[in-house]
Amino acid sequence: MRSAWMRMAVGVLCCVLLGGMGARIANGQAKPAATPEEAKKFLEEAEQRYFDLNNKASRASWVQENFITDDTEQIAADANEILNTASAKYAKEAHRYDGVKLSPELARKRLLLELATGFPAPDDPKAQKELAQVLASLDGDYGKGQWCPDGDKKPCLDVTAVGKLMATSRDPEELKRAWIGWHAVGAPMRQRYARMVELGNQGSKELGYADVGALWRSNYDMPPDAFAKELDRLWEQLRPLYLSLHAYVRGQLAKKYGKDVVSPNGPIPAHLLGNIWAQEWNNVYDLMDSPKPAQSFDLTKILQERKTDPKGMVKYGENFFLSLGFPPLPQTFWERSLFTKPADRDVVCHASAWDVDSKDDLRVKMCIQITEEDFRTIHHELGHNFYQRAYNTQPPLFQNSANDGFHEAVGDTIALSVTPEYLKKIGLIETVPPASGDTDYLLQQALEKVAFLPFGLVIDKWRWQVFSGQVKPEQYNKAWWDLREKYQGVAPPVARTEADFDPGAKYHVPANVPYMRYFLARIYQFQFQRALCKEAGVEGPLHRCSIYGNKKAGEKLNAMLSMGASKPWPDALEVLTGQREMDATALADYFAPLKTWLDEQNKKNGYPVGW
Ligand code: X8Z
Ligand code: ZN
């Protein structure tokens, strides 16, 4: 339906809940004597209406994010207000039928409708208008955000340009300036963010949830508290691997920048990890002493030398899906997508994938750079588009992923198959590095995949605390950095205060996109890949497996994708993997040889573990 990662701000169809499992603290609208026939009629009408409003809001948001002006912001706010208000109303009405015995399909639709509002507006037209304005303005502010190194004088750098600088500069002072510069984007959002929280909580309470966080955690076919516990279980399993990586990277950065800049046993300064948010560390790979095989290659350089253009980058991604048996993207995809940042206007550059009419109007919006990182991100985005298309024959309420982590995991799974063997097959490299280069390859992968894990956790740990009131507006920034330090072991390069609002400098916070999905996706993608490689009959270590060209694996993947949200997510997981539970062993096994190597290096170099 809407942008692939379902901007909850606008009450997008969201996922799955077995109703009454603990999140709701009241059953507001219960009226007796509703019949199954009435329930069926209500669900059919609501589903259709919801579908129409969703598509209208989707189109308005597409225009707003592609042409940020006061007018488009207003148009998007209006469309989203109508959708958000209607979805909160339908969610409330759906509870009227909670006790009515329905067919499994209708019962699931009822549950999905009850949850279809991701950020419910209160039942008050003034508050509904206000919420819609606040949401649109926060999203727009992020899109317009820039850092002007010389104050008022141009040139100014947008998020893509700042990201590039932070990925490539090795001058700690310059990096610090850029980090501070970009983070200033968040400060003006603070008050509006606090107001948004109030309004969303009020709407959630009216629906019977304690707060927005409780509503968000209710989307996973299990009681919300059990979901939170499940996350902690997975993280505990993976934490030792993260600690080994953290210790090694910190040691190597201290070697590069000196102990005055990087404390050998403290948190890592967040501006030195090659990424504005220190969320993935692949851009500092070249600072690592891992043993590079003679045939090692630099995909960024290869793509640039071949003069690959943005469309060419997308074509590589599409070609992978075609090789699995998926049909080509529609002509309109190529006509309507945005691949390059326009010179003359503000757009939201953060990559996203859309299905504007919930039929086949698939699009990507991304300011593509010719780099290995964006090569992978393209696969990520197309994963959303091919998922959207696979479920587009489902009824509207089932046109979604099994849970939001599934949506985020599909393209990443495909990108795991972008192995050296695959790159050779498609002619991008001539020689595959020998097995002795595997440690180096796994390190590159870990800098992206493992480094991200605690970041994927903390964004919503912070938001859940904010929504529940455990963290008050006057503690927003402190709570943010407490969590970043506790889980990630990173620290801001300069002292921060409550005049700052650093969460606002990360897209998903002002855009109100739930983030736990990305943590889940890191786990799922290795589970998916393990299952697909088995299906394809590929033997040997998982990190060497590519399912490129394997129709059997493609069919298996499609069997899961085409289910959409019609069944609880464990059913979908089982179709692909035979498992009904999230399982971190696929990821841990993938990186096990690297863990051994990292531990050896840390010991040999005397790098302490932890902070
Ligand atoms: O936001 C994204 C995608 C769009 S759904 C580009 N990702 C997260 C991020 O950039 O913070 C992918 C990885 C995590
Ligand atoms: Zn995504």
Side-chain angles (χ1 to χ4, degrees), residues 5 279 350-351 380-381 384 408 452 506 508 515 518 522:
W5 28 285
Q279 66 180 66
H350 190 89
H380 175 97
E381 296 307 327
H384 288 308
E408 298 304 335
F452 179 81
K506 175 65 194 163
H508 302 71
Y515 209 82
Y518 302 107
R522 292 286 144 139

Side-chain angles (χ1 to χ4, degrees), residues 210-221:
D211 59 74
V212 178
L215 172 63
W216 284 12
R217 289 190 296 280
S218 297
N219 278 300
Y220 298 93
D221 292 312

